[in-house]
Amino acid sequence: MEPLLLFAVFFGPLAFGSVEPWSLAILETTVLAFALGGKSRWRAPGSGPLWAMGFILLLGLGQWLNPAAPWGPSTWRPFTASAAESGSTLLLWSIYALLLWKTPALLAEPEPARRFLWALFAIGFLVAVIGLIQQRSGRVDFPLYGLREVSSGHSPFGPYFNRAHAASLLAVASAVGGGLLLASFFRFLRESADGARVSHYLLAQMIPGAMLATVLIGLVRSQNRGALLSLGAAVWLVLFQGAAFMKRPQVVRLARGLLLLLPAAAALMIWAPAGRSPLLPVSSNSVPVRAAMYRGGLDLWRDHPVWGVGPGGLIAAFPPYREPIVVGLVDHLHNDWLEFLTEEGAAGAAALLLGLLCLALRARRTWLSMASRRQRCLMGGALTGVLAFALHGLVDFSFHIPANAVIFLCLLSWVDARSWLPQEPMPRSRWAAGAAAVAGLALTALALPPAVAWSFKRQALSGPLSARSGLFQRAYLWDMKPQYLSHAASSCLIEEERGGRPCGAAALRADLRLAERGLMQDPLSLDLRFRQSELLRRLGRSEDAF
């Protein structure tokens, strides 16, 4: 089963982060095939994140079964503001739960654990190389792989449509790569007593060293302050805890005292006089925009504090909380932790934090009890990567990029697996195997329709205008999201604007029915409201327009 996991690690980032339905379906089916096969020779002392994910899935299921308008009367029952978004989100979370269940059992084995770290380091190197080659072209909108055009407003890097998501992966890969190189150095020190030569060691480390330098250069060239600061903070936290490995208490106190000076230096760099900060230029508009998003998210959570607005419900519930400075559709808050709080409420957030706390305490205890310096370095690199990703989630939504989420959960499982204990493989009954196969087939069947819908969308956007409405309606039949109806409802007007046939009353009324059908699913959609108002005005019903 290990090749399937490694395939997912490489395929996800290289397939544009698996943000498109076709690549997401391949990633999901790969993880399913990996999770439903093989037997484990290891047992967990208790996996906090897995139990937390189980509770969150049950909560999300309850929300999905009770769709309701977020501006209606308060209810004691969990609900969702968008049943369509909650359904697709729950499917993805189910895949993540299977990953948390199966991956630690594989990565508890020494050789698969080592190969996984090198695979993660290698994919970071590939992403950095692709991104640096693209930047050599001098174009901001350089097509991904030279083939896929990037829509306006995006800043791609490597195979990612958004450079921030590439930077998040590069931060994790650089942390893991640093741990691998330090582990190799301490291994050399152990072998040097047996006559190992320095020249042989330096020659062997030339390629990994060049790879780490490339990843770090790619991280800097991605120009994402959040990822750089997150990696720096993660390194600081791990070094502060790692000072406990020093034998003399006086040295430990001195090392930690010196480390305490670094946050002060970083604060001075961030809050430097206007125009002089290398980390946070005051001319950037992203800071006030994101602050406005955070205020809106907190206001949304205060209105639904216990259960939230459902998995994926933010896109439907946020419009009334959007401040004027925030332009366009808000599908993510650029803060994974706050977005989770608004969607799953205090109940889901408490379960998540409790599960992560259990894992963090056990991982810290395991790390500090390791006798091998090589193992300490590997564990320290993995912990740094996990912390860098988690801290970057405070200012971005990298966990909502499936490829990054899969890599993060695998690395989290690697950390968890270091405390697993060996056991005899347990035979699995036929009933359990059959139930697992049925569940896998069901999840696979649910993962494929969005990919079919996406293919119809691609045909509609690239094909003749006369076929646009029909193709979007066929996409909606496969994946019942109101966005497809919004596109279909605008087809006649777009064709008319581009010199096609004029829209007759019958065509306008047909498009109006599509827009109103979408508004029944998503009453707060500004896009659908705009389509509806435009069609009403064309039909002479301006007084009914929004």
Side-chain angles (χ1 to χ4, degrees):
M1 293 296 106
E2 183 187 355
L4 290 174
L5 182 66
L6 297 181
F7 173 80
V9 168
F10 278 94
F11 172 80
L14 296 178
F16 315 115
S18 294
V19 295
E20 296 174 327
W22 70 270
S23 53
L24 179 59
I26 295 175
L27 185 67
E28 288 176 338
T29 52
T30 301
V31 173
L32 275 171
F34 160 73
L36 298 178
K39 297 179 181 179
S40 173
R41 297 193 300 107
W42 301 79
R43 63 179 177 88
S47 182
L50 184 58
W51 286 107
M53 182 64 81
F55 174 82
I56 292 167
L57 283 175
L58 289 176
L59 173 59
L61 180 62
Q63 292 169 308
W64 176 67
L65 293 173
N66 183 32
W71 63 89
S74 298
T75 174
W76 63 269
R77 292 174 56 194
F79 76 97
T80 180
S82 174
E85 294 293 338
S86 292
S88 57
T89 303
L90 282 175
L91 172 62
L92 189 57
W93 286 0
S94 300
I95 302 296
Y96 293 163
L98 289 174
L99 201 61
L100 285 173
W101 169 62
K102 190 67 176 181
T103 309
L106 171 68
L107 298 184
E109 300 280 353
E111 285 304 307
R114 181 184 63 83
R115 286 191 290 265
F116 168 75
L117 292 181
W118 279 104
L120 200 162
F121 185 33
I123 189 59
F125 170 73
L126 287 176
V127 169
V129 168
I130 296 170
L132 293 173
I133 291 174
Q134 288 172 341
Q135 287 190 342
R136 293 283 295 176
S137 69
R139 289 177 53 187
V140 177
D141 59 343
F142 189 86
L144 302 185
Y145 298 122
L147 301 173
R148 288 292 298 274
E149 293 292 338
V150 179
S151 58
S152 60
H154 288 82
S155 299
F157 188 87
Y160 284 81
F161 292 108
N162 190 320
R163 66 185 182 188
H165 305 146
S168 185
L169 173 65
L170 294 177
V172 174
S174 60
V176 170
L180 287 168
L181 260 68
L182 282 174
S184 299
F185 172 72
F186 282 112
R187 182 179 179 180
F188 164 74
L189 290 182
R190 186 186 64 188
E191 294 175 350
S192 61
D194 300 329
R197 294 185 178 181
V198 177
S199 58
H200 292 173
Y201 165 75
L202 294 177
L203 186 64
Q205 298 306 309
M206 284 181 61
I207 293 179
M211 289 173 62
L212 180 59
T214 303
V215 173
L216 290 172
I217 292 171
L219 177 60
V220 173
R221 294 293 298 273
S222 68
Q223 298 179 344
N224 184 262
R225 295 162 297 178
L228 285 167
L229 289 172
S230 300
L231 178 60
V235 171
W236 183 87
L237 287 169
V238 171
L239 288 177
F240 192 84
Q241 288 293 324
F245 289 121
M246 299 179 180
K247 297 180 180 180
R248 298 178 61 183
Q250 299 89 340
V251 178
V252 173
R253 288 193 292 269
L254 176 61
R256 288 180 171 174
L258 293 174
L259 286 170
L260 287 174
L261 298 176
L262 294 179
L268 290 175
M269 295 177 68
I270 292 174
W271 285 287
R276 297 183 182 178
S277 171
L279 297 179
L280 192 61
V282 295
S283 59
S284 174
N285 189 44
S286 64
V287 176
V289 170
R290 294 192 185 192
M293 289 184 184
Y294 300 161
R295 288 192 296 268
L298 287 172
D299 290 340
L300 175 59
W301 172 69
R302 291 189 190 102
D303 288 343
H304 309 281
V306 180
W307 306 118
V309 295
L314 175 80
I315 190 173
F318 191 77
Y321 303 87
R322 184 172 63 88
E323 297 183 13
I325 193 175
V326 181
V327 180
L329 178 69
V330 176
D331 50 358
H332 297 293
L333 289 179
H334 288 266
N335 186 321
D336 279 329
W337 300 95
L338 178 58
E339 185 169 341
F340 185 84
L341 179 65
T342 60
E343 293 184 345
E344 295 303 304
L352 176 65
L353 292 177
L354 182 61
L356 291 177
L357 180 62
C358 292
L359 174 60
L361 293 175
R362 189 168 68 247
R364 180 181 181 274
R365 185 170 59 250
T366 301
W367 184 40
L368 295 180
S369 64
M370 287 179 170
S372 167
R373 288 186 292 182
R374 179 173 175 271
Q375 290 299 321
R376 291 177 193 170
C377 291
L378 295 177
M379 185 70 162
L383 287 172
T384 304
V386 168
L387 285 171
F389 191 93
L391 292 172
H392 193 211
L394 292 171
V395 293
D396 222 303
F397 57 97
S398 192
F399 191 78
H400 287 81
I401 307 304
N404 288 5
V406 165
I407 287 177
F408 170 71
L409 293 175
C410 288
L411 189 59
L412 199 68
S413 299
W414 190 97
V415 171
D416 187 23
R418 304 282 67 77
S419 59
W420 281 42
L421 304 172
Q423 68 171 5
E424 291 297 324
M426 299 291 292
R428 191 163 58 171
S429 68
R430 293 183 179 180
W431 287 103
V438 171
L441 290 174
L443 290 174
T444 303
L446 291 173
L448 294 179
V452 179
W454 180 84
S455 68
F456 284 124
K457 175 186 175 182
R458 295 284 298 179
Q459 294 176 45
L461 294 175
S462 60
L465 292 174
S466 58
R468 179 185 173 99
S469 179
L471 288 170
F472 273 118
Q473 291 182 61
R474 292 174 70 181
Y476 177 77
L477 293 176
W478 283 93
D479 188 12
M480 300 181 69
K481 292 184 177 179
Q483 296 95 315
Y484 291 127
L485 292 179
S486 177
H487 287 296
S490 64
S491 299
C492 181
L493 295 176
I494 290 176
E495 184 177 0
E496 184 181 81
E497 290 174 2
R498 297 181 182 177
R501 60 183 180 183
C503 295
L508 291 172
R509 283 193 291 267
D511 285 353
L512 180 60
R513 286 193 292 271
L514 292 174
E516 290 175 342
R517 185 178 177 185
L519 284 169
M520 291 179 65
Q521 280 187 263
D522 189 1
L524 286 180
S525 171
L526 296 178
D527 191 43
L528 282 165
R529 286 290 180 191
F530 175 78
R531 304 296 178 204
Q532 181 194 44
S533 299
E534 194 173 10
L535 292 167
L536 287 171
R537 292 190 186 97
R538 290 292 302 272
L539 289 169
R541 296 169 54 187
S542 298
E543 66 279 1
D544 297 328
F546 175 67

